[in-house]
């Protein structure tokens, strides 16, 4: 479901009031500047790193200065499909889609086939989790660019008892076993996959690489907030370890071949925040993170059987969620690590790029209406000779929140204790405090309130950074923040994409320039904009969410929300970012009834596009399904799309 649908009604406090300039005024101002700059935009070849693309030998990191091929205009050659409403995955002519793995499929030998009437937590811990989200292809062996054999990482964002359990209508109290199945269906999976001789892909259920991580897997907490008093609980008096990760939505991978998996809407698992005394300073923090202000029957009632989810009993437990978690997918025994230096918020994704300085930079969006875009810059540099030497690189560095100014400039505002407003005088007590209360620190700095920042990705050819804003139907309403230049639409039902260029094409820069790249919607709607490409030649698109680049610099966009905004299924589109085809949005794939396309990722030669088809049949129930995809029972799945003629997808 979209966040709008599962929002609890608690909207982030807003401070801006009054009317801003009209949409037309803002757009005209931005676009005329774009025209003025058009001839002056220089794209230096700065290579963002895909899986394996930054590694050579055994886990060694290549310098990022190798020139990438220049962006090719019109490198997309497929004939776009029309939006679709059938209950099957549809792809462009000449392409194939195949279901690679579905919820419940066994990841280990000697498991019976999935049976919806025989679910236990012990079985679910050994099967693919629910609601596939972030996908990544990590080549085998580590450090190679092998395009035909690798590890597939897959997040499992959340569970939906109505679509999981017979007779569960979302109202009756879940059983202890059902709750434990739900915990076991969260987290992530690692699967060993390979391409077969006929071009199809399969996963190997006997591989020792396969792994499940769940909402009960022991994890370590590291970085500046580790051990802080706010992270200490009865079960963990040291504040350095935690059971599980929650609501892992997007993610990314590092130049050294680890996965960054992101906790997003963790707020919805916690109960009884209202029982904290008003004088307890934690109450306001929980409110700023949208924890439910009143307890009522909700989707998740885990506190009934696991009291750590009851804030009245364990008021610090929510502070242990909302982090980026680093995992080595190549080591099934690796203890996942929550990296507190990257901040605590509803992380949609974490995209790591290697700067020319050798530092690693991680971009992330905070997916809530009127929240912020962030980046982290490591203090240290990547060790190109020793993979393991990089494993603590994300513990030390600077986190920034973005301010987008109306003149097309931007500033990265450092979230550093003692600097600017982040002082004792304003209630901040330490760097740990700043990180645990990242949102409030960014509020104090005056970062720009965005239209639900989702994925952020760097173009591997130009080095420009793209930021997907999925929608914000409350902008400009009832005293909520008015449109601004970077979020120019009131009632932004269709979302948009911002294109940023770091000053000096340096990912570590503290200033940048930015443009509107796409204002999504039905191209017949005059408020849409496709980087100047003629509207009558582009595919309709709404609600850009997860994005990815192919190695030629084409932007691929997965959507979440088209059933609401455009009344068609969610989809995958591709769009060139440079050359005459810049802005030419074309639809490659359509999902199925009730789904979102939650994530997409290429293998190392772009010959396979992996995508998560999440929550098919949402809105129905197990007994009264609205979708029977993929094979009779609606089951979230990862599909792989290939070019029937071979070669890269899209080209
Ligand atoms: Fe889980 Fe931001 O979508
Ligand atoms: Ca992405
Ligand atoms: Ca998402």
């Amino acid at each position: 479901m979209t966040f709008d649908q599962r929002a609890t009604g608690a909207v982030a406090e807003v401070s801006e009031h009054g009317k801003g300039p009209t949409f037309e005024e803002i757009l005209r101002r931005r676009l005329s500047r774009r025209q003025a700059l058009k001839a002056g935009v220089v794209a230096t070849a700065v290579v963002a790193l895909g899986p394996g693309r930054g590694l050579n030998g055994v886990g060694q990191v290549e310098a990022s200065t190798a020139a990438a091929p220049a962006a090719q205009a019109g490198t997309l050659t497929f004939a776009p499909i029309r939006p679709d409403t059938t209950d099957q995955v549809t792809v462009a002519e000449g392409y194939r889609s195949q279901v690679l793995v579905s919820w419940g499929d066994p990841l280990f030998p000697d498991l019976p086939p999935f049976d919806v009437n025989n679910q236990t937590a012990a079985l679910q811990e050994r099967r693919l989790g629910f609601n596939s989200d972030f996908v990544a292809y990590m080549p085998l062996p580590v450090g190679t660019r092998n395009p035909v054999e690798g590890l597939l990482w897959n997040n499992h964002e959340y569970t939906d008892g109505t679509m999981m359990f017979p007779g569960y209508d979302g109202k009756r109290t879940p059983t202890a076993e059902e709750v434990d199945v739900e915990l076991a269906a969260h987290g992530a999976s690692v699967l060993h996959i390979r391409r077969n001789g006929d071009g199809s892909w399969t996963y190997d259920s006997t591989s020792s690489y396969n792994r499940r991580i769940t909402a009960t897997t022991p994890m370590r907490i590291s970085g500046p907030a580790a051990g802080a008093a706010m992270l200490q609980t009865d079960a963990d008096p040291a504040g350095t370890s935690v059971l599980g990760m929650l609501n892992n939505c997007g993610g990314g991978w590092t130049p050294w071949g680890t996965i960054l998996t992101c906790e997003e809407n963790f707020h919805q698992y916690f109960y009884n925040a209202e029982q904290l005394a008003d004088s307890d300073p934690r109450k306001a923090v929980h409110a700023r993170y949208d924890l439910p202000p009143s307890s009522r029957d909700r989707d998740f009632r885990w506190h009934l059987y696991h009291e750590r989810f009851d804030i009245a009993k364990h008021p610090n437990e929510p502070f242990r969620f909302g982090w980026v978690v680093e995992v080595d997918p190549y080591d099934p025994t690796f203890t996942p690590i929550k990296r507190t230096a990257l901040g605590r918020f509803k992380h949609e994704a974490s995209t790591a790029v290697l700067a020319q300085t050798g530092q690693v930079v991680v971009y992330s969006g905070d997916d809530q209406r009127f929240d912020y875009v962030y980046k982290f810059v490591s203090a240290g540099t990547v060790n190109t000779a020793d993979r393991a030497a990089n494993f603590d690189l994300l513990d030390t560095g600077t986190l920034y929140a973005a301010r987008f100014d109306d003149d097309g400039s931007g500033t990265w505002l450092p979230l550093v204790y003692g600097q600017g407003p982040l002082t004792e005088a304003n209630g901040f007590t330490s760097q740990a405090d700043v990180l645990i209360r990242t949102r409030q620190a960014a509020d104090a700095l005056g970062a720009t309130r965005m239209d639900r920042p989702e994925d952020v990705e760097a173009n591997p050819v130009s080095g420009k950074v793209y930021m997907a804003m999925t929608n914000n139907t409350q902008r400009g309403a009832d005293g909520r923040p008015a449109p601004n230049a970077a979020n120019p639409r009131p009632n932004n039902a269709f979302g948009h994409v911002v294109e940023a260029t770091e000053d000096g094409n340096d990912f570590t820069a503290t200033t940048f320039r930015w443009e509107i790249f796409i204002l999504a919607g039905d191209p017949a709607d005059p408020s849409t904009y496709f980087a100047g490409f003629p509207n009558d030649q582009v595919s309709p698109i709404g609600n850009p969410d997860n994005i990815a680049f192919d190695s030629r610099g084409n932007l691929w966009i997965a959507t979440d929300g088209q059933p609401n905004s455009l009344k068609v299924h969610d989809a995958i589109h591709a769009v060139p970012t440079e050359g005459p085809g810049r802005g030419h949005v074309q639809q490659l794939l359509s999902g199925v009834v009730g789904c979102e396309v939650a994530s997409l990722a290429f293998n190392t030669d772009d010959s396979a596009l992996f995508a998560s088809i999440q929550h098919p049949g949402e809105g129905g129930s197990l007994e009264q399904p609205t979708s029977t995809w993929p094979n009779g029972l609606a089951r979230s799945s990862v599909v792989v799309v290939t070019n029937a003629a071979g070669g890269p997808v899209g080209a």
Side-chain angles (χ1 to χ4, degrees):
M1 70 187 78
T2 66
F3 181 75
D4 276 347
Q5 288 169 306
R6 63 186 173 230
T8 59
V11 178
E13 294 160 304
V14 296
S15 57
E16 299 170 43
H17 290 275
K19 283 195 163 70
T22 66
F23 166 74
E24 287 75 16
E25 286 166 348
I26 292 167
L27 190 59
R28 192 166 55 245
R29 196 187 306 161
R30 296 300 310 126
L31 300 187
S32 59
R33 192 186 156 272
R34 165 84 206 162
Q35 299 304 324
L37 284 182
K38 212 168 183 178
V41 174
V42 177
T44 308
V46 179
V47 181
L49 297 169
R53 289 166 197 145
L55 300 166
N56 62 30
V58 183
Q60 294 185 340
V61 183
E62 285 180 355
S64 62
T65 50
Q72 297 292 315
T75 52
L76 298 171
T77 58
F78 66 90
I81 62 169
R82 298 193 56 76
D84 193 52
T85 55
T86 64
D87 195 28
Q88 58 192 6
V89 171
T90 307
V91 291
E93 188 176 347
Y95 286 82
R96 294 193 294 215
S97 83
Q98 170 212 339
V99 175
L100 180 60
V101 63
S102 300
W103 165 52
D105 281 345
L107 301 192
F108 301 93
D110 308 323
L111 256 72
F114 179 65
D115 178 355
V116 76
N117 293 304
N118 178 26
Q119 298 186 65
T120 66
L123 283 168
Q124 180 60 72
E125 283 174 357
R126 292 162 60 79
R127 300 181 181 281
L128 194 84
F130 200 77
N131 269 352
S132 287
D133 205 302
F134 174 64
V135 282
Y137 175 85
M138 307 298 286
L140 278 171
V142 61
T144 68
R145 292 185 176 84
N146 188 353
V148 298
E149 183 175 6
L151 302 177
L152 185 84
W153 176 279
N154 190 209
N155 280 358
H156 305 301
E157 187 180 17
Y158 66 98
T159 51
D160 178 354
T162 303
M163 296 299 294
M164 295 173 75
F165 305 125
Y168 185 94
D169 62 4
K171 295 191 177 70
R172 76 162 164 81
T173 302
T175 67
E177 185 69 42
E178 285 169 342
V179 166
D180 285 348
V181 169
E182 292 200 57
L183 273 98
H186 276 67
S189 296
V190 178
L191 305 79
H192 187 164
I193 61 172
R194 58 174 66 87
R195 188 165 74 197
N196 303 312
D198 65 358
S200 66
W201 287 75
T202 46
Y203 77 92
D204 179 356
S205 65
T206 69
S207 173
S208 59
Y209 281 113
N210 294 355
R211 181 178 189 185
R212 275 303 319 282
I213 296 168
T214 74
T216 59
T217 301
M219 305 194 174
R220 192 157 74 75
I221 301 172
S222 76
M230 285 172 83
L231 299 187
Q232 297 169 3
T233 63
D234 291 348
D236 172 33
T240 55
S241 63
V242 60
L243 292 180
M245 55 187 193
L246 293 176
N247 212 263
N248 289 70
C249 186
W253 50 82
T254 64
W256 49 96
T258 57
I259 291 288
L260 301 177
T261 175
C262 298
E263 295 183 307
E264 196 190 38
N265 290 301
F266 66 92
H267 65 289
Q268 56 193 328
Y269 301 89
F270 294 95
Y271 266 70
N272 293 332
E274 76 275 18
Q275 292 189 28
L276 289 180
D278 288 343
S279 58
D280 189 324
R282 294 172 294 197
K283 192 167 190 171
V285 188
H286 290 326
R288 180 64 182 85
Y289 282 80
D290 201 27
L291 269 74
S294 65
S295 294
R296 55 179 189 263
D297 283 352
R298 295 166 50 78
D299 294 343
F300 298 106
R301 278 166 280 179
W302 294 359
H303 68 299
L304 296 174
Y305 308 106
H306 299 271
E307 69 170 46
R308 66 185 170 118
F309 297 106
D310 185 340
I311 294 173
K313 294 175 179 161
H314 301 283
N316 286 351
E317 187 71 3
F319 298 129
R320 294 142 63 80
F321 297 89
W323 303 104
V324 172
V325 187
E326 185 172 8
V327 185
D328 183 359
Y330 295 99
D331 175 5
T333 69
F334 187 89
T335 299
I337 303 172
K338 298 197 177 188
R339 299 290 187 194
T340 63
L342 277 62
R344 176 173 167 270
F345 47 92
K346 296 180 185 176
H347 286 272
E348 164 67 24
S350 316
T351 298
V353 292
L354 186 57
Q356 288 162 320
T357 57
Q359 292 160 282
V360 64
V361 177
V362 184
Y363 293 94
S364 193
D366 184 354
D367 182 9
Q368 184 153 345
R369 290 183 288 262
F370 306 116
D371 263 289
Y372 307 120
V373 174
Y374 295 86
K375 80 171 177 183
F376 169 85
V377 179
S378 70
T381 57
V382 172
N383 186 325
T384 59
D386 180 1
R387 178 175 186 248
N390 299 303
F391 276 34
D392 293 327
L393 206 51
L394 298 181
D395 279 344
T396 310
T398 305
L399 182 67
Y400 300 87
R403 191 186 72 215
F404 298 78
D405 292 320
D406 285 4
D407 65 356
S409 65
T411 302
W412 292 105
L413 307 164
L415 282 78
V416 176
Y417 171 65
Q419 288 188 16
L422 305 182
T423 60
E424 302 271 352
N426 292 312
F428 293 97
T429 58
S430 65
Q431 186 60 27
D433 185 33
V434 165
L435 293 168
I436 292 167
R437 299 194 290 134
T438 298
R439 283 183 164 185
Q440 285 147 307
D443 292 343
L445 288 165
T448 300
R449 298 180 180 278
M450 308 298 285
D451 286 347
R452 292 187 55 199
E454 296 267 12
D455 205 354
V456 181
E457 292 277 348
N459 186 323
V461 175
S462 70
K464 292 180 187 176
V465 179
Y466 293 75
M467 305 164 174
M469 307 298 144
T470 197
N471 70 50
N472 182 353
T473 52
Q474 296 181 1
R475 185 169 291 281
D478 298 335
R480 304 229 163 76
N484 56 53
N487 303 273
R489 290 160 139 175
N491 188 24
N492 182 9
F494 300 103
H496 62 285
V497 179
V498 174
E499 176 186 70
T501 306
E502 298 278 21
D503 281 354
N505 252 324
D506 175 359
F507 292 124
T508 71
T510 55
T511 51
F512 60 93
R513 309 291 302 180
W514 64 270
E515 296 288 341
I516 297 288
F517 181 55
I518 289 173
L519 293 168
D522 180 340
D525 172 352
S527 83
T528 56
Y529 172 71
F530 302 94
F533 201 85
N535 279 33
D536 60 359
Q537 296 176 40
V538 305
S539 299
I541 180 171
N543 314 103
D545 186 320
N546 207 252
I547 57 179
F549 278 97
D550 62 31
S551 57
R552 293 156 289 141
N554 297 308
L555 179 64
W556 294 74
I557 302 172
T559 70
D560 174 16
Q562 290 194 159
N564 288 329
S565 63
L566 288 172
K567 310 303 177 196
V568 297
H569 292 342
D570 276 312
I572 292 177
H573 298 72
V575 53
T577 54
E578 303 289 344
R582 175 179 160 88
H584 189 187
V585 173
Q586 297 169 277
Q587 182 172 343
L588 177 87
L589 174 147
S590 171
V592 303
V593 174
C595 85
E596 73 174 86
V597 183
S599 182
L600 72 178
F602 288 95
N603 67 343
T604 49
D605 66 0
D606 298 342
S607 63
L609 174 60
F610 301 94
S612 287
I613 305 296
Q614 194 192 78
H615 59 70
E618 183 180 71
S621 67
L622 201 58
E623 283 83 10
Q624 294 184 303
T626 60
S627 170
T628 55
W629 185 88
N631 48 18
L633 183 68
R635 291 162 74 189
S636 176
S637 303
V638 177
V639 300
V640 53
V641 178
T642 52
N643 187 331
V649 173

